[in-house]
Amino acid sequence: NAGVTQTPKFQVLKTGQSMTLQCAQDMNHNSMYWYRQDPGMGLRLIYYSASEGTTDKGEVPNGYNVSRLNKREFSLRLESAAPSQTSVYFCASSNPATGLEETQYFGPGTRLLVL
Amino acid sequence: GESVGLHLPTLSVQEGDNSIINCAYSNSASDYFIWYKQESGKGPQFIIDIRSNMDKRQGQRVTVLLNKTVKHLSLQIAATQPGDSAVYFCAENSGGSNYKLTFGKGTLLTVNP
């Protein structure tokens, strides 16, 4: 099991460019999440998908869109990147439908620099 | 404890000592708590969890203590090793949602050989 994988690992964008961050999990989890992590701050939820076919806004959704492509994949899109979106982005997954396990498992992150 | 501003609280210990990292959580309705370890340049890694119907849970070299009266969580690491050096942060399942966790800002643990 690879767990949660993310691509790319690093990306440099110019202001106004667009890009899509990819995430996939092989744990058959129902729920997937996108977070951003900035220095001195905790992880902040951008969007999440409680189950295949649904997506919801988190704490900081502005400037982002998501797609839950299938149960395995959850992508994050920046349509017009801004310097304020320079951050490290983490994807996570969990399986709360069991009612037992709500632990979120994280990918290795994508480091994004917007110039 | 949790951080304020850009600088994380830090804890520096000698190899072989025990470490205690603290976390104050915010929501008295939270019923599930997790400790994560994050090494430099990597994603958060699950360490141990605890549900609100428990006061203590032990894993391999780690123990989590939960004090619901004062909304306090602690992580104890026994016989700390250099490989334990990382940022540790707690997360709570707040607001009764199965889908959302609220994360603390973390504590930087440095283990001196």
Side-chain angles (χ1 to χ4, degrees):
Chain A
N1 275 356
V4 180
T5 57
Q6 293 183 235
T7 56
K9 287 185 170 55
F10 303 96
Q11 185 69 49
V12 179
L13 292 178
K14 294 180 179 178
T15 297
Q17 287 185 316
S18 62
M19 78 162 294
T20 300
L21 283 66
Q22 306 287 353
C23 174
Q25 51 90 11
D26 62 1
M27 296 175 282
N28 201 34
H29 282 171
N30 287 310
S31 300
M32 298 184 73
Y33 312 79
W34 275 106
Y35 293 91
R36 60 178 289 171
Q37 186 177 45
D38 301 293
M41 303 185 73
L43 289 158
R44 292 185 292 169
L45 183 64
I46 304 172
Y47 270 94
Y48 69 102
S49 172
S51 61
E52 187 179 356
T54 69
T55 61
D56 286 283
K57 295 179 179 179
E59 181 185 354
V60 289
N62 291 345
Y64 305 95
N65 285 301
V66 290
S67 295
R68 183 73 182 268
L69 304 170
N70 48 55
K71 191 172 186 180
R72 288 190 63 248
E73 299 172 287
F74 189 37
S75 63
L76 178 72
R77 182 160 179 83
L78 286 70
E79 289 291 351
S80 179
S84 61
Q85 294 178 303
T86 292
S87 189
V88 182
Y89 292 85
F90 289 102
C91 178
S93 71
S94 69
N95 203 27
T98 64
L100 296 175
E101 186 176 48
E102 296 146 7
T103 303
Q104 293 184 18
Y105 296 91
F106 286 82
T110 294
R111 283 145 187 83
L112 175 66
L113 173 62
V114 182
L115 302 174
Chain B
E2 298 303 316
S3 67
V4 175
L6 297 178
H7 301 289
L8 293 175
T10 59
L11 176 64
S12 184
V13 300
Q14 290 298 122
E15 182 177 0
D17 287 352
N18 296 333
S19 302
I20 300 176
I21 300 169
N22 297 304
C23 176
Y25 64 92
S26 58
N27 190 335
S28 57
S30 295
D31 60 2
Y32 180 64
F33 305 88
I34 309 170
W35 277 103
Y36 285 95
K37 172 186 180 183
Q38 187 174 20
E39 296 174 274
S40 181
K42 296 185 178 180
Q45 177 186 0
F46 169 83
I47 302 174
I48 192 168
D49 59 0
I50 188 168
R51 296 198 179 275
S52 59
N53 60 354
M54 302 173 70
D55 297 324
K56 178 180 180 179
R57 191 171 187 209
Q58 289 184 292
Q60 186 178 14
R61 282 202 307 118
V62 295
T63 300
V64 55
L65 298 177
L66 175 62
N67 185 329
K68 294 181 285 294
T69 302
V70 295
K71 294 190 288 185
H72 184 267
L73 199 65
S74 68
L75 177 70
Q76 301 178 358
I77 305 173
T80 314
Q81 302 167 1
D84 294 327
S85 294
V87 174
Y88 291 81
F89 54 89
C90 63
E92 61 182 297
N93 178 339
S94 57
S97 168
N98 283 340
Y99 307 110
K100 295 183 182 179
L101 296 176
T102 301
F103 295 86
K105 296 180 178 61
T107 296
L108 174 62
L109 175 66
T110 302
V111 181
N112 302 308

